Amino acid sequence: MVLVRRVPSGETTDVFPSGFSARTMVHEYGGASYTVRDDTVWFANFEDQRVYRVESSDLPVAATPEPPAPAAVRFADFSVTPDGRWVIGVRERHGAGEAVNDIAAIPAGGGKPVTIVAGHDFFSAPRVSPDGRQLAWLCWDHPNMPWDGTELWVADVNDDMVVGPTRRVAGGPAESISQPRWSPDGHLFFVSDRTGWWNLYVDDGVLGVGALAPRSAEFAGPDWVFGQSSYVVLDDGTLVAVWSADGLNRLGSILPNGELAEIACPYASIGSLVPLDGAVLALAASPTEAAAVVRIAIPSGDVEVIKRSRDRSVDPGYLSVPEAVEFPTEAGRTAHALFYRPTNKDFVGPSDERPPLIVMSHGGPTSATSAVLNLGVQFWTSRGFAVVDVNYGGSTGYGREYRDRLRDNWGIVDVDDCVNAARWLADRGEVDGDRMVIQGGSAGGYTTLAALAFRDVFAAGASHFGVADATALARDTHKFESRYLDGLIGPWPEAEATYIERSPIHHTDRLDCPLILFQGLEDRVVPPDQAETMAAALRTKGIPFAYLAFEGEQHGFRKAETIVRVAEAALWFYGQVLGFEPADDIEPVIIENAAALNRLRRGGERHT
């Protein structure tokens, strides 16, 4: 992870040389791994998790002491005090037992960190007021996740980072608070879902908390990582915000009368907002444009692209633009998805056939898919597959009630919605109901495995580092998620019977379709033994399967060669199951129990 400095002339330089990587492992997922003040950068280095300080073109210098064990002390979510003396951040210390989290202040020039706030299981977003006299932060405790219930606190602090009287501004076990930040005149803004929607609020310290432009829309997302920024306060006090409705992001500013004025913008996803000279910088993407760093003028909405994530564009003749769909599901409700039709300007499918379908189940599961250019999806649509990317009940972007559908129902509601999305498309004649497959990563891998074990709809599946055994996940995962399943399945170990009932690994007798498993061997979130246990069960039962494990990969594949191999291997595997030969030149995959493929193959004749 390389930090890049760009000066007004447009010239760019790397902040540090090869051998350093700005990536923190706090909460394992990290985020907000650096901060900047003038020409000085402080960042968490991936290899040893120490904080380093670098000025201009100098080499980085360690700003925190060497930990007692490699990567045993980690830092994230930094901010610098107005006087420049301290760098404040979330600290996570690993040793015997569960990791300990708190908020600490690091001397800006380097030295031993000072503990500021402690006493809760988790902390995030420590932010110092413009006058340096107040500190705001978020905290929460097991079994809550940050989208379940958090608290926003404010305390007086002095120049030596000694905390004075504290007060709770908002939040509790059933109210999710996100993104506290100060305005230039000392007002504290934050996002809360107290109405059922993540909306904006302000606390002036005197009159209390007031809502800003309330509406049935989401002004924040789930805080899986540190440092999300869906709104900013400009120097003149103007508040610019992004909100989500109908699966798309919108940008606007809040006027003095409280109205929200939308700003025309060509992007479907906008995030990581930063104020700059009366404009905002952001990471933005659309269904046909990959993510880019952009400058958006306020209020005109004029866009200047600063840096694209990909220098090469894709011919639009190969791009499938998604359609947001709402389809019927269980209990008379509806659910949401993005539907991509096969698109390739050079080829059309046979007139007497419907395309095969890939159902994609996103991770999290408290997360969402978005309508941005995803080459992982376009890989399939350009090769003749239709894709439905399902925002099943429990996904974010549709309010707390929709998010809470998954409470106690993981492995049921998500599976039902994926199944019903596929059936709905087949019933409409959009896809071939006999050639439907499902795939997903992490929690989406769990949904994939559960759909294959507990439903008879799909011809095959692909699990990317998926959860096969919910009991093992509850016992063995890292601190941040160690009680996550309490809200999704039930309290552990009291609800052990439910965990076993919902875990595909305990029901391999019900599996009867081919499966391909992908796994990183350094994954600490879903350890490799989950995939290996699943592979052993499939081997014993005689189900055709393939297992590909990758050295050096963690939870989510990052190496280019891994990403390419996984996509091509899945295509080759689906070809063997559905009866077609991929046009791509692909290294074959070893399929165990391959003799059973003819018995299980769906879709009739072989096609190319």
Side-chain angles (χ1 to χ4, degrees):
M1 298 292 188
V2 181
L3 287 177
V4 179
R5 176 185 284 112
R6 181 184 188 274
V7 296
S9 66
E11 179 185 357
T12 61
T13 56
D14 291 351
V15 171
F16 45 71
S18 176
F20 291 92
S21 178
R23 181 178 166 203
T24 175
M25 295 302 291
V26 178
H27 293 178
E28 298 301 327
Y29 296 110
S33 60
Y34 68 95
T35 191
V36 181
R37 170 65 65 84
D38 299 327
D39 287 333
T40 304
V41 175
W42 293 264
F43 69 95
N45 185 44
F46 176 66
E47 183 176 358
D48 57 9
Q49 290 296 293
R50 295 172 73 184
V51 177
Y52 284 76
R53 181 176 185 266
V54 58
E55 292 189 69
S56 300
S57 59
D58 295 343
L59 291 175
V61 176
T64 55
E66 187 171 349
V73 182
R74 308 171 181 183
F75 297 89
D77 212 0
F78 305 106
S79 59
V80 183
T81 57
D83 62 10
R85 291 181 55 196
W86 301 93
V87 177
I88 298 174
V90 174
R91 177 175 59 181
E92 185 174 274
R93 288 174 287 179
H94 292 254
E98 188 174 68
V100 176
N101 293 70
D102 56 22
I103 295 175
I106 305 164
K112 184 178 179 180
V114 174
T115 302
I116 305 177
V117 182
H120 289 274
D121 291 324
F122 301 99
F123 294 88
S124 71
R127 302 291 182 260
V128 184
S129 60
D131 62 6
R133 295 305 175 190
Q134 294 186 90
L135 175 70
W137 70 89
L138 296 177
C139 59
W140 66 99
D141 294 297
H142 288 313
N144 272 349
M145 299 297 286
W147 46 84
D148 295 324
T150 53
E151 295 179 348
L152 171 60
W153 288 80
V154 169
D156 294 337
V157 291
N158 64 20
D159 292 343
D160 296 320
M161 287 295 105
V162 176
V163 174
T166 63
R167 68 180 177 94
R168 184 166 65 91
V169 176
E175 180 184 0
S176 172
I177 309 292
S178 181
Q179 300 182 45
R181 58 177 52 97
W182 300 92
S183 67
D185 60 358
H187 288 80
L188 180 61
F189 292 88
F190 61 94
V191 178
S192 167
D193 72 348
R194 59 179 60 183
T195 65
W197 298 89
W198 272 313
N199 275 201
L200 287 159
Y201 295 83
V202 62
D203 174 58
D204 65 5
V206 179
L207 298 177
V209 172
L212 298 171
R215 61 175 52 196
S216 297
E218 302 276 55
F219 285 78
D223 285 327
W224 278 104
V225 297
F226 295 102
Q228 294 196 72
S229 180
S230 58
Y231 77 96
V232 292
V233 185
L234 304 185
D235 289 340
D236 64 1
T238 300
L239 194 147
V240 180
V242 172
W243 67 94
S244 175
D246 303 323
L248 300 175
N249 283 174
R250 292 171 171 83
L251 180 72
S253 59
I254 296 183
L255 304 176
N257 63 3
E259 298 256 340
L260 187 59
E262 186 168 349
I263 298 170
C265 194
Y267 301 108
S269 176
I270 310 165
S272 301
L273 269 60
V274 177
L276 179 68
D277 298 333
V280 294
L281 294 178
L283 292 180
S286 78
T288 56
E289 292 185 68
V293 179
V294 300
R295 181 184 185 274
I296 304 174
I298 306 298
S300 69
D302 294 339
V303 173
E304 175 192 1
V305 176
I306 304 297
K307 176 64 177 177
R308 300 185 187 278
S309 59
R310 293 187 179 92
D311 291 328
R312 295 197 317 179
S313 61
V314 179
D315 186 324
Y318 301 112
L319 295 181
S320 177
V321 176
E323 174 190 352
V325 297
E326 188 173 358
F327 57 90
T329 188
E330 303 303 308
R333 299 184 296 201
T334 60
H336 302 271
L338 297 173
F339 178 53
Y340 297 80
R341 290 179 173 82
T343 304
N344 188 314
K345 68 178 185 179
D346 301 323
F347 300 94
V348 294
S351 59
D352 60 344
E353 286 191 28
R354 297 295 88 200
L357 173 69
I358 294 180
V359 175
M360 289 189 172
S361 175
H362 65 71
T366 309
S367 184
T369 188
S370 59
V372 300
L373 179 61
N374 181 337
L375 297 187
V377 171
Q378 304 297 334
F379 174 85
W380 296 107
T381 56
S382 63
R383 285 159 174 79
F385 283 83
V387 172
V388 62
D389 208 350
V390 184
N391 274 328
Y392 47 78
S395 301
T396 52
Y398 305 94
R400 179 145 189 161
E401 182 179 353
Y402 193 83
R403 194 164 80 240
D404 283 347
R405 284 188 190 180
L406 213 57
R407 199 156 190 84
D408 298 326
N409 284 305
W410 192 34
I412 299 175
V413 166
D414 50 319
V415 173
D416 285 338
D417 290 353
C418 286
V419 165
N420 286 324
R423 285 174 170 164
W424 181 72
L425 289 168
D427 290 344
R428 284 167 44 120
E430 296 277 6
V431 301
D432 183 346
D434 289 327
R435 293 189 292 173
M436 303 192 299
V437 301
I438 184 170
Q439 66 183 44
S442 189
Y446 168 76
T447 300
T448 292
L449 295 172
L452 298 178
F454 304 132
R455 305 288 193 278
D456 185 21
V457 174
F458 300 107
S463 171
H464 300 236
F465 39 89
V467 178
D469 185 357
T471 61
L473 187 66
R475 290 193 308 262
D476 302 334
T477 196
H478 56 108
K479 179 185 177 183
F480 181 61
E481 289 187 88
S482 62
R483 301 291 299 278
Y484 184 24
L485 299 192
D486 281 28
L488 296 175
I489 297 177
W492 175 264
E494 294 85 350
E496 183 176 7
T498 305
Y499 279 75
I500 293 173
E501 178 186 347
R502 304 265 185 91
S503 296
I505 193 63
H506 297 296
H507 303 279
T508 54
D509 58 306
R510 299 177 64 174
L511 277 170
D512 65 354
C513 65
L515 175 64
I516 187 167
L517 303 162
F518 301 104
Q519 180 67 44
L521 292 177
E522 295 181 12
D523 191 340
R524 292 193 59 200
V525 178
V526 180
D529 65 302
Q530 295 241 2
E532 291 160 3
T533 303
M534 197 74 192
L538 294 165
R539 184 177 296 116
T540 300
K541 193 182 178 190
I543 297 294
F545 79 96
Y547 174 43
L548 279 69
F550 299 94
E551 294 278 358
E553 293 286 8
Q554 300 170 8
H555 195 65
F557 301 140
R558 291 175 171 82
K559 297 180 181 179
E561 59 268 25
T562 303
I563 294 169
V564 170
R565 178 56 175 158
V566 167
E568 293 185 339
L571 175 61
W572 189 89
F573 185 81
Y574 291 156
Q576 297 301 301
V577 175
L578 300 181
F580 67 84
E581 297 291 341
D584 305 69
D585 182 15
I586 299 174
E587 177 188 351
V589 175
I590 297 174
I591 300 179
E592 299 192 43
N593 301 324
L597 270 177
N598 287 333
R599 174 174 58 85
L600 297 174
R601 181 178 289 127
R602 302 188 186 185
E605 310 225 351
R606 298 179 68 81
H607 301 279
T608 300

